[in-house]
Amino acid sequence: MRYLTAGESHGPQLTTIIEGLPSQLPLTAELINKELKRRQGGHGRGRRMQIETDTVEILSGVRHGSTLGSPVALVVTNDDWKHWTKIMGAEPLEEDINPEDIKRQISRPRPGHADLVGGMKYGHRDLRNVLERSSARETTVRVAVGAVAKAFLAELGISIVSHVTEIGGIIANPESTAGKSVAEIRAIIEEDACYCADSEASAEMVEAIDEAKKAGDSIGGVVEVIVEGLPAGIGSYVHYDRKLDAKLASAMLSINAFKGVEFGLGFEMAHRKGSEVHDEIIWSEEDGYTRSSNRLGGLEGGMTTGMPIVVRGVMKPIPTLYKPLQSVDIETKEPFKASVERSDSCAVPAASVVAEHAIAWEIANAIMEHFHSDQLPQLKEQLAAHKQYTKEF
């Protein structure tokens, strides 16, 4: 499967086309909108989340609530577009209008953003041409794509959840999720302001976010995604670009402001001996092959082991600060304090939702690569047969 997205932060809409979905997958706009709403939530979000509510329109590839097997086109309209029609319009400027007279041009790059190097790469003197696309607004439609992937995975008995494990140095107690299923974790975090399973840590996170906002600063954190229900053997060891953990790492780091990724024990493995890292293999007639632990996060040799996948990503603090950092005007070369677009003081809770959907897409794609079916009922049969095969191996 594959997809492309298009659209600018203050353009008329965000668009995606998904190709390769099997037919007969139940799919509705309501299902996708539920996930878009989650992305707009979480403590620390900025003013834009208050001025528009993201909803999707399904334009093709679905009839009467079921996919056809043809490309699925989704659109999310930007409600704020009405205020930007002249600034962001696609039509050429009239001859008597000087491009320099267009409002909201940007010649002052913000540290930590794509502004300066993006302008260099594409030759844009007005850096708005960079920030409009590099903005995290694009993740809206990526969540829509991931919502479709989650619907697909749910039909196959595969479930996924994300939660926040750290914000601003405040770390959730790992015991808050230990032994809990994806469904149990989701029931907890969807009632929490920071999408965190540890209520005491969450309360401290809220205070830290509020303090950062008062100080004109921002804070980052860590999110964790857990996937249950995958059989063993999805992915491959034979080539670097077929390893599932590599694909999941790429998906996580493709999210705006994400700078690190780890699986299972992650970087903690550097401090442990091999006997304290690797998961011993056990077998039972009821379950087949399993592991006595899940320190490697459900992946060995680039393939699933049948244990839950556990992957974490670290998000840097948002670089758009109300306490701005120094930069240089590209026209005058004079130093200045960086300008402020609308911003969040902390987007880690919302980013956890984006991470969940980015990972969901890669898992769904890996399933389709493994089983090669154009119809969902056939795919279910193939998956069931594969699970039986690996159990009896």
Side-chain angles (χ1 to χ4, degrees):
M1 298 192 297
R2 58 180 179 168
Y3 72 93
L4 289 174
T5 73
E8 284 73 47
S9 180
H10 296 99
Q13 65 186 40
L14 298 166
T15 306
T16 185
I17 297 178
I18 306 170
E19 199 270 335
L21 279 170
S23 66
Q24 303 172 59
L25 168 68
L27 186 64
T28 64
E30 180 182 7
L31 182 149
I32 300 172
N33 288 338
K34 178 183 177 182
E35 303 301 332
L36 293 179
K37 184 176 180 180
R38 289 180 59 221
R39 177 194 166 275
Q40 291 193 286
H43 194 72
R45 297 311 307 270
R47 187 171 151 267
R48 183 162 192 177
M49 299 305 103
Q50 301 169 12
I51 63 177
E52 58 185 352
T53 300
D54 294 326
T55 57
V56 75
E57 184 179 2
I58 302 175
L59 298 183
S60 70
V62 177
R63 186 182 184 203
H64 304 318
S66 181
T67 57
L68 304 175
S70 52
V72 173
L74 306 177
V75 164
V76 177
T77 300
N78 284 332
D79 294 337
D80 203 26
W81 162 246
K82 56 183 175 289
H83 302 300
W84 292 78
T85 53
K86 292 183 178 180
I87 300 167
M88 291 298 298
E91 294 301 315
L93 294 173
E94 296 178 9
E95 293 184 5
D96 59 342
I97 296 180
N98 186 335
E100 295 182 0
D101 292 335
I102 296 297
K103 293 180 179 179
R104 303 197 184 185
Q105 290 196 75
I106 295 175
S107 63
R108 296 177 168 185
R110 300 161 298 168
H113 283 273
D115 300 352
L116 179 57
V117 290
M120 292 175 176
K121 179 174 178 63
Y122 291 103
H124 294 309
R125 303 303 298 182
D126 179 1
L127 301 181
R128 179 161 296 284
N129 292 332
V130 178
L131 71 87
E132 284 289 334
R133 179 59 183 174
S134 65
S135 166
R137 177 68 182 155
E138 187 264 352
T139 63
T140 304
V141 77
R142 290 187 67 189
V143 168
V145 169
V148 175
K150 283 178 60 179
F152 168 74
L153 295 174
E155 288 290 322
L156 302 178
I158 300 168
S159 54
I160 182 168
V161 70
S162 62
H163 63 110
V164 172
T165 62
E166 180 176 349
I167 288 179
I170 299 162
I171 303 173
N173 186 344
E175 292 300 315
S176 62
T177 56
K180 293 184 174 65
S181 67
V182 162
E184 289 171 329
I185 295 172
R186 182 170 298 286
I188 297 170
I189 61 103
E190 290 199 348
E191 298 297 323
D192 186 82
C194 291
Y195 299 159
C196 177
D198 181 347
S199 59
E200 292 184 9
S202 178
E204 294 181 32
M205 291 174 183
V206 168
E207 291 181 8
I209 292 169
D210 291 344
E211 286 299 318
K213 185 175 181 179
K214 289 177 183 177
D217 220 324
S218 61
I219 52 178
V222 178
V223 306
E224 181 175 270
V225 181
I226 304 170
V227 187
E228 287 182 343
L230 274 167
I234 304 301
S236 180
Y237 64 89
V238 301
H239 283 296
Y240 71 94
D241 59 349
R242 292 177 61 189
K243 294 184 176 184
L244 183 56
D245 45 7
K247 293 181 178 181
L248 296 178
S250 176
M252 190 72 87
L253 292 178
S254 73
I255 303 168
N256 303 55
F258 273 60
K259 288 297 184 180
V261 63
E262 63 179 10
F263 296 87
L265 288 179
F267 293 105
E268 172 65 22
M269 295 180 197
H271 308 141
R272 298 195 180 197
K273 296 177 181 178
S275 58
E276 299 173 324
V277 168
H278 300 289
D279 303 310
E280 294 182 316
I281 301 171
I282 57 178
W283 185 89
S284 71
E285 190 169 343
E286 180 180 358
D287 299 321
Y289 296 94
T290 57
R291 302 296 191 277
S292 60
S293 58
N294 193 29
R295 299 165 182 154
L296 297 183
L299 293 154
E300 291 176 350
M303 300 168 290
T304 56
T305 64
M307 298 293 285
I309 288 179
V310 180
V311 54
R312 284 178 294 278
V314 57
M315 183 185 191
K316 68 177 182 178
I318 290 173
T320 302
L321 308 178
Y322 288 93
K323 184 172 67 177
L325 302 174
Q326 181 175 311
S327 185
V328 176
D329 190 304
I330 66 171
E331 299 298 342
T332 67
K333 305 302 187 287
E334 293 293 325
F336 78 101
K337 294 294 185 180
S339 61
V340 176
E341 293 284 304
R342 280 187 302 242
S343 182
D344 306 328
S345 54
C346 178
V348 175
S352 72
V353 178
V354 178
E356 177 181 317
H357 290 79
I359 295 298
W361 171 264
E362 290 300 331
I363 296 294
N365 200 28
I367 291 287
M368 287 299 292
E369 286 182 357
H370 188 100
F371 294 106
H372 305 292
S373 180
D374 294 324
Q375 301 177 36
L376 185 60
Q378 290 180 356
L379 183 58
K380 289 180 177 181
E381 293 175 1
Q382 292 176 22
L383 180 59
H386 176 79
K387 286 183 175 181
Q388 190 64 30
Y389 160 75
T390 56
K391 180 180 179 180
E392 298 173 352
F393 181 78

